[in-house]
Amino acid sequence: MLEKNAQDLYSLLPPPTPSQSPTASPATSRGSRAFSKIKLGLIASVLAISTVWAYSRLAGGCHHGAALMFGGGGNELEDDALEVGDYAGLNLGLSERLGYTLVKDIPSENIPGRGKNGVQKGDGDDKRLIVVGDIHGMFDEFQSLLDKVSYDSERDYLILAGDIISKGPDSLAVLDLARKIGAHCVRGNHEDKILLHYHNIQRRKRGHHRAVERKLAKSLSKKQAKWLDACPLVVRAKKVPGLGQYYIVHAGLVHGIGLESQDPLAIMTMRSLNHHLVPSPKQTGMHWAKYWNKMERKKTHDHTTVVYGHYAAEGLDIHHYTKGLDSNCVRGGKLSAYILEANKDGRVGEDVVSVRCRAYLD
Amino acid sequence: MQLRKVLLGLVTLTSVVSSAAVARRDEGGGKLERALSLEARDEPEDTKYFREDSELTGHYDARFFSEVVDYDTRLDTLKHMVRAWLLAAAREGIETWIAHGTLLGWWWNGQILPWDGDLDVQMSADTLTMIGDKYNMTRHKYVSEDGLVEREYILDVNPWIWQRVRGDGMNVIDARWVDVRNGLYIDITGIAETQPDSMPSILNCKNYHRYHVNDIWPLRDTTFEGVPAKIPYSFDEILITEYRSKALVVTEYEGHRWNTKNKTWDLASDVPAGAEAEQLNNRVREPERYYSVESGGFFYNIFRLLHWW
């Protein structure tokens, strides 16, 4: 349409003026004509584009309001604007009202470096803490990751960081293996949804018939559902020697708010925080982990590190106080494990091990 | 001479561009108008079914209204009313969930917001049709758990429930659960796929609230005012969409202050309410759009272009 307009315009142009000067050659006159054509085309397109742009600004508004405030640098926001008092998790008891188990503690004898006799220098300790990100029913990959880290149920405490099932090909097989090897779990948004469907089906309640998750929910056995239902929102490791406290959740936590005041749904779904520190699954706004690291760095002691999954778009995302493990296995990324282990000099160190995944979903 | 012709060309171009834009807009508008006029022809002029006493901010059903009740009576009425509804619905197998301001109250502490004049619950349009057939104008007795309070409610379904679009705006509420003593009520709205072809899985209630099927189902089980209740699957996102995230943050509202210790909204005389509060809210309201660059408007851009050319 633009071109057509430009064509219309050419017809309005004055015919090439016959050269006044006898020395001017026809070639130059053709040249100047071509030049003005280009100019006209340019001006026409610029005008049209600016018109469209101006209208779209008027009509469409700006979708990145929050991103502008928080995006990229994130430093343009003063710290005092992010007062925790803002969103202080005022809704105490939300997880209780929704029937969730909020938190389970890892027994101290399973925490690396905290064996009965402590860790002697040059001795080490065979206890390991292993967290595996979003498996999504990718059985083969889960199996090969366990082989790669040479998992041993006697000495290792394995925690699956949610979204163990759904999306992938072998959800039930993954569940059965996890139960067999004594893995622990936190509740992810997919477990949450599948379990809601499962309980609706058990009570013979009509659900929304098009929900694809119902198929998986229907195939769950009672034992499998019971195991999933027992997954807490948070697994906590108190006093990892030299590293402080560890939380394992599926999606994230808002810094500065006690566990009992966190929104349980947000623990399973959050990706970003807005300027009131209200969490959201959207990717606009500040990554909650960025805020977490920023606030933890200010502390001198009693640090807390969060290990989580859920954020496949960020991939493996290891920072000082947050460890993002969803490396998008189900879409052909990797399946990752985060390992805490007491090394020879008696200190607990971290390690990340990944295996490649076949691309099950595009 | 040449300049004038070029200018003429410019003017032609702008008129072509803008007329094209206007023409396209007209097309859409025309359709809308036709649809509206059709509806208008089919319906009598005054179609409002539920009548409220509009003088009294519309929170009473006119048929049962005798006088405006005081703060405590209103709260007491609403609390028992919502319990009665949730219990009756569960007993009769009616799938219903709490919505809007009532859902916000649930988020805070599982109770109604004390400044809320009425309560909102929703159901699917199928369920609404079912209760219209089966329970319309039925009366329901209620005895509180401690046996001290006895009430009676009437379930009244709007005969306009077949109309799943907003229409003239007079019948956006589909049914009511009315306390027959004073006319206070719960609004019951149905949500349905109004455009299954162009917008599958998008549900509407008549008041232009729009939901995705997956935001509502599977419903979550919880308690509200001490009785079992259901809430939508993505309650967080629904609340933030409807009330903005500030509603999950502000601790002073409509003459009430959040008591962090007891987790209740307490009356506070120093917190402004009504029109005064609205004014204050307007003053501190955050800008909703941010512009990094001024677009400068259409004519300014033309000027800029000519100037630099």
Side-chain angles (χ1 to χ4, degrees), chain B residues 44-60:
Chain B
E45 267 190 8
D46 186 2
T47 56
K48 192 167 175 67
Y49 174 71
F50 284 124
R51 304 209 161 270
E52 307 93 13
D53 217 308
S54 50
E55 295 277 302
L56 307 159
T57 66
H59 294 315
Y60 296 87

Side-chain angles (χ1 to χ4, degrees), chain B residues 43 47-50 123-137 155-167 170-176 187-194 204-206:
Chain B
E43 287 166 14
T47 56
K48 192 167 175 67
Y49 174 71
F50 284 124
M123 57 179 56
S124 76
D126 299 344
T127 314
L128 189 67
T129 312
M130 187 272 283
I131 66 164
D133 293 342
K134 214 170 150 190
Y135 299 99
N136 198 10
M137 298 309 274
L155 179 57
D156 187 357
V157 184
N158 190 331
W160 290 91
I161 51 172
W162 50 267
Q163 182 198 42
R164 286 318 317 163
V165 288
R166 185 177 166 97
M170 290 307 237
N171 287 291
V172 293
I173 299 303
D174 296 313
R176 272 181 188 173
D187 274 339
I188 303 168
T189 34
I191 60 171
E193 267 177 306
T194 47
N204 287 283
C205 71
K206 285 188 191 174

